[in-house]
Amino acid sequence: MKLYKAQQEVFNHIKKSCLLPLGTSTGKTLISLEWYNTNYPNEMLYIITPAAKKNEGGWDREIQEHYSIKNYKVISYTMLKKSDFTKGVFILDECHYIKNPTSIRGKEIKLILKNYAIDFIMLSATPGTKVEEYANYFILWGLVNNKTEFYKKYIISQTSIWGYKEIVGYKNLDEFNKIIKDHSTKCITVNDITELDPIIYKDIELKKPIGYDKLVTDRVLYKEDEVIKLDTLPKLCTTLRMACNTKGKLEYLKYLLGSTTDNIVIFYNFKEELKELINIISKDKLLYIINGDTKDYPKKQDFSKITNSVTLVQYRAGGTGIELTYGNIVVFYSPTYSYQDYEQSLGRCYRHGQQKKVIVYRFKCKGTIEKNIYKCLEKKQDFNNKMWEV
């Protein structure tokens, strides 16, 4: 398989247990399969990937089209415990799924690699934006034994007014950065592989809804006969997000849906939002839904035939791994807290194979929590409830 020049440079620098921090649609799949085929063609290959990506079949398709690999298995992160392993080589796709060493899948991957891995590589467009997010990579590289040891070496923390430890800074950054460099390839983006037209962003500014400020000050939600106390920041922030001018968003969406037959992909957060969105989609539109309960989207070979469709995608369920290049209009109905999810969501449509200019609509309610969330995302940061004083 012939790689592009930028891909070949990455391939040439793959080391043992290597991290490949490659942007969306840079050919991570092909580079990693080439690595396996060149170095370990007779070993068992395990590809660990998010469930949505396994179901989409991209790995099987690439292997069938470009390689003749016989001894391989594609396994979702959710099925690690139910899978049998022998000695082999591992590709950890979307490795940010295992960056938390105390999570179930983080612990399972550590044991599996320790017992069965001849070698492994890790792939992600967003491996981590903060030092603490690299803890499990250091554990898998055998450089620290656990999260506590990693934090002692690289993290400065203090006890917050809420009574728990919070990160206030970092130490030994020169050592940290050298380790990352020694265990990783160079970063590349899709523009190193092929030229895509720049994304057009359209920010739709909406008025603050009536009653929003009262929620902020009173911290009480009256719902039918129920009184809900918003006595923690997570509760309050979630309620405020859901209160951000649903009516204005739905009105604009109705206009947008009625003004084009282009394929629209809408990212949302909450089940209540899904119900509202389904209600405004006319029956002449093709409707696809991707969330924790449903994985309904077309096969890649049918992308060119699709028109006048709407795809509703819940960030966590469909923001990673899957390809939706039939869609060229992207709508962020409500923002995600996670920069990683935000960046990955953009990459579902804006990637190699996209034939049209991509337009991204972002709904932003003036003077609300949404503005604060987008400020963080634009700085490539996760939004944290503690960042916003209410």
Side-chain angles (χ1 to χ4, degrees):
M1 177 67 196
K2 185 171 176 57
L3 302 175
Y4 289 101
K5 181 181 177 182
Q7 292 172 328
Q8 187 65 49
E9 288 176 2
V10 169
F11 175 83
N12 292 341
H13 287 90
I14 297 177
K15 315 164 190 78
K16 192 171 181 64
S17 310
C18 198
L19 170 65
L20 281 62
L22 310 181
T24 300
S25 199
T26 51
K28 293 190 289 290
T29 302
L30 290 177
I31 293 171
S32 56
L33 290 176
E34 186 69 15
W35 164 80
Y36 165 80
N37 211 42
T38 301
N39 297 284
Y40 303 103
N42 299 317
E43 302 292 346
M44 181 67 192
L45 172 62
Y46 294 102
I47 301 162
I48 316 298
T49 191
K53 197 165 180 181
K54 180 185 185 303
N55 295 337
E56 185 264 343
W59 280 98
D60 293 304
R61 188 167 55 247
E62 294 291 354
I63 289 172
Q64 289 161 13
E65 288 181 10
H66 301 293
Y67 295 92
S68 56
I69 300 171
K70 303 297 182 185
N71 298 320
Y72 80 93
K73 285 183 181 179
V74 182
I75 300 169
S76 73
Y77 284 108
T78 56
M79 296 298 291
L80 290 175
K81 264 192 174 178
K82 296 182 180 179
S83 300
D84 293 323
F85 295 94
T86 58
K87 286 289 183 183
V89 176
F90 288 75
I91 296 173
L92 306 181
D93 189 19
E94 309 294 354
C95 64
H96 49 270
Y97 269 57
I98 54 152
K99 66 185 180 183
N100 181 1
T102 58
S103 68
I104 292 173
R105 66 171 69 115
K107 292 177 180 177
E108 287 173 345
I109 282 292
K110 178 184 175 182
L111 286 173
I112 290 167
L113 295 183
K114 180 181 178 181
N115 292 324
Y116 302 109
I118 297 167
D119 196 358
F120 67 91
I121 56 174
M122 301 183 286
L123 318 176
S124 179
T126 52
T129 56
K130 304 171 186 175
V131 170
E132 58 268 28
E133 293 179 340
Y134 285 78
N136 207 31
Y137 307 146
F138 275 58
I139 292 170
L140 298 181
W141 288 330
L143 301 173
V144 295
N145 292 313
N146 50 48
K147 182 178 177 179
T148 300
E149 190 176 324
F150 179 88
Y151 271 49
K152 282 182 179 177
K153 290 190 80 169
Y154 303 110
I155 303 295
I156 302 171
S157 62
Q158 66 182 23
T159 303
S160 73
I161 59 172
W162 305 96
Y164 56 80
K165 290 280 187 181
E166 63 179 358
I167 294 169
V168 295
Y170 305 111
K171 56 187 175 181
N172 300 321
L173 285 181
D174 287 344
E175 176 187 326
F176 173 84
N177 290 327
K178 184 178 185 306
I179 288 171
I180 296 298
K181 185 177 180 181
D182 290 344
H183 288 78
S184 306
T185 66
K186 65 181 286 190
C187 300
I188 61 173
T189 69
V190 66
N191 291 323
D192 295 312
I193 308 301
T194 184
E195 287 294 328
L196 288 175
D197 289 336
I199 295 174
I200 298 173
Y201 288 95
K202 294 190 176 184
D203 288 343
I204 310 303
E205 299 279 353
L206 300 166
K207 291 180 181 178
K208 186 193 303 182
I210 296 171
Y212 182 91
D213 288 335
K214 189 170 177 59
L215 273 176
V216 174
T217 55
D218 293 355
R219 299 196 176 196
V220 175
L221 174 65
Y222 297 97
K223 195 173 182 182
E224 297 176 354
D225 296 329
E226 189 178 4
V227 178
I228 302 171
K229 291 184 180 181
L230 308 176
D231 50 2
T232 66
L233 275 178
K235 264 191 200 178
L236 177 62
C237 289
T238 297
T239 302
L240 293 178
R241 290 168 76 195
M242 295 173 68
C244 283
N245 202 348
T246 300
K247 184 178 179 182
K249 291 178 180 180
L250 292 173
E251 285 177 354
Y252 191 92
L253 265 181
K254 282 182 184 177
Y255 152 74
L256 184 61
L257 291 168
S259 66
T260 183
T261 57
D262 280 0
N263 298 310
I264 300 176
V265 178
I266 302 173
F267 288 95
Y268 72 93
N269 282 287
F270 308 109
K271 288 184 178 180
E272 289 83 355
E273 292 176 340
L274 176 62
K275 293 175 186 175
E276 293 164 348
L277 291 167
I278 289 174
N279 284 338
I280 66 165
I281 298 170
S282 60
K283 292 182 179 179
D284 66 314
K285 298 276 187 187
L286 279 172
L287 175 61
Y288 303 104
I289 298 175
I290 305 171
N291 57 36
D293 301 317
T294 306
K295 296 288 185 295
D296 174 27
Y297 54 97
K299 294 180 179 178
K300 187 174 180 180
Q301 58 263 35
D302 297 327
F303 282 6
S304 61
K305 306 171 189 174
I306 298 169
T307 186
N308 201 30
S309 73
V310 180
T311 306
L312 304 177
V313 186
Q314 193 173 36
Y315 284 101
R316 288 297 174 93
T320 302
I322 62 174
E323 183 174 338
L324 304 172
T325 48
Y326 59 88
N328 64 297
I329 296 177
V330 176
V331 178
F332 289 112
Y333 185 75
S334 56
T336 171
Y337 280 172
S338 166
Y339 171 73
Q340 176 179 291
D341 288 346
Y342 176 67
E343 184 73 6
Q344 291 276 356
S345 298
L346 281 174
R348 299 313 98 218
C349 299
Y350 186 67
R351 59 192 295 141
H352 183 59
Q354 177 57 259
Q355 301 298 314
K356 297 181 180 180
K357 188 175 284 291
V358 174
I359 304 173
V360 175
Y361 292 84
R362 298 181 292 195
F363 290 136
K364 297 181 178 180
C365 283
K366 297 176 183 177
T368 71
I369 191 172
E370 286 192 338
K371 297 288 283 187
N372 299 77
I373 295 171
Y374 273 114
K375 281 180 185 176
C376 289
L377 295 177
E378 284 157 13
K379 293 177 183 176
K380 300 186 177 181
Q381 295 176 343
D382 291 348
F383 176 84
N384 189 307
N385 296 332
K386 299 193 295 295
M387 292 179 183
W388 192 50
E389 295 297 328
V390 292

